[in-house]
Amino acid sequence: MIRQISKPLVWVALLGRMVLSGVQEAGALALFALQGIINIFSPPFYWRIFVGSMINIGYLSLPVVALTALFSGGVIALQSYTGMAQYHVDSAIASIVVLAVTRELGPVLAGLMVAGRVGAAMAAEIGTMQVTNQIDALRTLSTNPIKYLVAPRLLAATIALPFLVIIADILGVLGGFTVSIMKLGFTPQGYIMATFNAVKPMDITIGLVKAGVFGFLIALMGCYHGYRSKGGAQGVGASTTAAVVAASILLLVFDYLLTDIFFSK
Amino acid sequence: MTQSVPKIRIRNLSKSFGSNHVLRDVSMDVETGTSFVIIGGSGSGKSVLLRCILGLMVPDSGSIEIDGQNIFELSSAQRNEKLQQMGMLFQNAALFDSLPIWQNVAFALLYGHRKNKPKVSRHEAYDIACDVLKLVGLDPTMVSDLYPDELSGGMQKRVGLARAIASKPEIIFFDEPTTGLDPIMGAVIDELIKSCVDTLGSTAIAITHDMASAQRIGDHAAMLYKGELIWQGKAKDLLMTDNPYVHQFTHGLRQGPIKVETKVK
């Protein structure tokens, strides 16, 4: 059919088709998210799945998030020292570390790590259930698959991520602290004083709000792409990749938007 | 006009995917307490027909009445109530591979959102699961705590059967119950199906292309060819009918009205 129309029109048709499928996708995703949220608040709620997801997302992600935060905090201390030393304002290092970690690095790095770890696992699990008819089987056993599979995961991720980020914040500051004391010759008292002078409760709160939003996005992408898996092992693989990529991109976009809303005044 | 309302009445059901007409004007009645077998080759629309009756798929036109009520005119709550009375044995058993066998069998009791049914405790559910496992010839002490991937294909089918009948459904669907099993295990499964259906007094619909199985399970039979029901009658007449399509299919003949292309033009 395409061959019959002239060259420029082919591109217009292609553009049109892309826009249409983009809008369709956005609509489907919004509907899916809405269904997920509604099913969190309407009974029954599957506590077992919720607790299992909490353990998986929160507790089992601790090591990777902790290490990431520790080293990032340290690296920022090192990098800002090399930058600051020439202006003789190296006292600013503590405040740079704590603000960078609580406002940005804590939520974003924890989010990206969890997206890779948990988002992928969710997409693979739900995708496998989809291609092996287990989701149809749920329906025939009077169970709403969105309520059983999606709602508990959305809620668990939204709650678990802020807790992870609290720990990431603490360890990020600890990383900066350790490097500053051991390598850069700061006194512990001075560093801690400077840290507490620099950080405001608002910085931490907004970081945690970001974390909650990121958690929701990660679980949403994992469930959505898993749910739409088609065609066996390859399909599940594709949806796993899509879930991680989409979650990472959305996370960075929302990070920008939330920063713009909260900090740019 | 029949004297009583049939359990399932299907009228002029059609469904197509794009230009591919999967079901054309299918009409059939299934009387309460009888078994209806639908035979037909791969891609003849059997699975789609089943999925339409189960409400997993919406047909383009036509009606499906269960107990005299058109399921497409019911509210979603009423339709869920109808769905609650149905059980299904999937072709690949579609067991939940993250749950142990007993939870698979008792799934609807444990997790299903069942209206007007008493709540069952985990302990009671376990006992019921064990009883049902015995019914399908599995020793609960051996299998109840295993996971689906630790069972053979035949045992998985039995667990799938147990799961389908655990909530004592009024209608049970069987999607190629003997496919992938050796002939002896196939006969065992057929016998179990027959006895379960008889004990529960359920109405059964099975789709299969296994002739021996069709004759063992079915009271009535029909043949689906290219989305049309081309023959209906008693299951025991399947092998005797002079309908050329049915004759070719049931006898597995290469020559006949059904053409299968083996060469690409």
Side-chain angles (χ1 to χ4, degrees):
Chain A
M1 212 211 285
I2 294 170
R3 255 172 255 148
Q4 287 157 9
I5 44 181
S6 58
K7 249 291 160 49
L9 277 181
V10 173
W11 294 104
V12 176
L14 195 69
L15 182 72
R17 219 173 295 138
M18 275 165 64
V19 169
L20 277 181
S21 74
V23 171
Q24 214 167 28
E25 182 87 356
L29 177 60
L31 213 61
F32 188 85
L34 193 69
Q35 274 184 311
I37 294 170
I38 290 171
N39 277 299
I40 292 174
F41 296 106
S42 63
F45 186 75
Y46 294 101
W47 288 102
R48 255 162 217 283
I49 309 251
F50 172 73
V51 172
S53 307
M54 279 294 268
I55 291 170
N56 188 19
I57 301 165
Y59 184 68
L60 296 180
S61 299
L62 265 179
V64 60
V65 168
L67 278 174
T68 315
L70 203 60
F71 281 104
S72 312
V75 160
I76 292 175
L78 271 186
Q79 288 283 22
S80 44
Y81 181 74
T82 47
M84 296 290 168
Q86 51 187 314
Y87 302 112
H88 306 288
V89 283
D90 40 351
S91 60
I93 288 176
S95 60
I96 290 175
V97 169
V98 73
L99 292 184
V101 167
T102 53
R103 285 179 168 196
E104 285 300 325
L105 292 180
V108 170
L109 289 180
L112 289 176
M113 287 295 148
V114 172
R117 216 187 79 80
V118 178
M122 279 183 190
E125 185 181 352
I126 296 179
T128 307
M129 290 187 73
Q130 181 66 274
V131 300
T132 55
N133 290 334
Q134 291 180 53
I135 291 188
D136 284 342
L138 280 175
R139 284 217 192 84
T140 67
L141 295 163
S142 13
T143 305
N144 176 350
I146 302 277
K147 190 179 282 297
Y148 180 77
L149 293 172
V150 179
R153 285 174 170 79
L154 286 179
L155 187 64
T158 311
I159 294 174
L161 250 242
F163 282 103
L164 274 177
V165 168
I166 291 177
I167 291 162
D169 285 352
I170 294 169
L171 288 174
V173 171
L174 182 71
F177 174 82
T178 313
V179 169
S180 303
I181 304 304
M182 309 283 274
K183 268 192 83 121
L184 310 176
F186 282 76
T187 62
Q189 296 87 337
Y191 190 92
I192 291 170
M193 281 286 283
T195 299
F196 278 105
N197 283 336
V199 69
K200 290 189 224 43
M202 206 53 190
D203 295 321
I204 297 171
T205 315
I206 291 169
L208 297 184
V209 170
K210 280 184 177 179
V213 173
F214 296 168
F216 180 80
L217 290 173
I218 293 165
L220 180 65
M221 286 299 116
C223 295
Y224 175 74
H225 286 283
Y227 210 84
R228 285 166 52 108
S229 297
K230 278 197 188 92
Q234 201 181 13
V236 175
S239 55
T240 308
T241 312
V244 177
V245 172
S248 307
I249 293 172
L250 272 183
L251 200 147
L252 293 172
V253 170
F254 271 79
D255 182 49
Y256 177 81
L257 294 176
L258 291 171
T259 307
D260 193 48
I261 292 169
F262 289 121
F263 291 116
S264 68
K265 280 170 215 149
Chain B
M1 203 50 207
T2 46
Q3 58 276 44
S4 63
V5 182
K7 188 74 186 169
I8 302 170
R9 165 175 290 188
I10 297 173
R11 285 292 174 268
N12 311 104
L13 201 69
S14 295
K15 172 84 186 170
S16 51
F17 298 109
S19 60
N20 181 15
H21 298 279
V22 186
L23 292 177
R24 302 166 200 245
D25 236 7
V26 170
S27 298
M28 58 184 247
D29 288 334
V30 184
E31 300 296 332
T32 309
T34 62
S35 301
F36 196 100
V37 177
I38 302 164
I39 62 167
S42 313
S44 58
K46 293 176 302 197
S47 295
V48 173
L49 177 57
L50 218 58
R51 294 170 71 86
C52 285
I53 306 173
L54 268 165
L56 299 175
M57 211 177 251
V58 181
D60 299 334
S61 62
S63 67
I64 297 173
E65 289 174 21
I66 293 172
D67 297 322
Q69 287 178 296
N70 187 347
I71 56 170
F72 302 112
E73 287 167 2
L74 298 175
S75 69
S76 69
Q78 287 171 310
R79 205 186 306 172
N80 283 341
E81 228 163 302
K82 284 266 175 260
L83 201 59
Q84 207 174 290
Q85 307 163 3
M86 302 184 200
M88 163 125 184
L89 172 59
F90 286 83
Q91 188 177 343
N92 55 4
L95 299 177
F96 304 120
D97 36 33
S98 59
L99 297 176
I101 297 303
W102 78 267
Q103 285 191 31
N104 263 287
V105 174
F107 191 90
L109 309 171
L110 284 168
Y111 302 103
H113 189 36
R114 305 183 316 145
K115 277 221 179 90
N116 314 323
K117 293 271 168 77
K119 202 94 183 107
V120 180
S121 73
R122 277 179 93 72
H123 196 78
E124 288 169 309
Y126 183 83
D127 291 341
I128 295 172
C130 289
D131 290 342
V132 182
L133 281 171
K134 278 181 207 152
L135 216 59
V136 296
L138 291 173
D139 181 359
T141 55
M142 298 279 284
V143 299
S144 63
D145 289 323
L146 296 178
Y147 282 83
D149 63 347
E150 297 173 283
L151 300 184
S152 70
M155 285 166 104
Q156 288 186 2
K157 273 270 162 73
R158 291 196 205 193
V159 176
L161 177 61
R163 184 176 71 180
I165 63 172
S167 55
K168 300 195 169 56
E170 293 173 21
I171 305 170
I172 313 179
F173 298 91
F174 302 97
D175 186 355
E176 307 201 0
T178 56
T179 300
L181 302 178
D182 68 72
I184 298 170
M185 188 51 77
V188 171
I189 295 284
D190 283 339
E191 202 176 295
L192 283 170
I193 288 174
K194 194 76 193 146
S195 76
C196 289
V197 170
D198 288 347
T199 339
L200 295 173
S202 311
T203 308
I205 295 185
I207 58 180
T208 185
H209 43 231
D210 177 347
M211 281 316 114
S213 170
Q215 299 224 302
R216 283 192 295 252
I217 304 175
D219 299 315
H220 298 278
M223 175 156 168
L224 206 55
Y225 175 65
K226 290 194 172 169
E228 281 178 85
L229 275 187
I230 53 163
W231 183 86
Q232 291 198 52
K234 295 225 179 310
K236 60 179 190 300
D237 296 339
L238 262 177
L239 293 174
M240 274 108 71
T241 173
D242 48 12
N243 182 309
Y245 291 90
V246 181
H247 181 81
Q248 184 193 353
F249 190 81
T250 51
H251 293 80
L253 306 176
R254 178 75 182 84
Q255 304 298 324
I258 304 173
K259 300 278 180 253
V260 181
E261 294 299 332
T262 51
K263 289 199 183 85
V264 181
K265 278 169 209 156

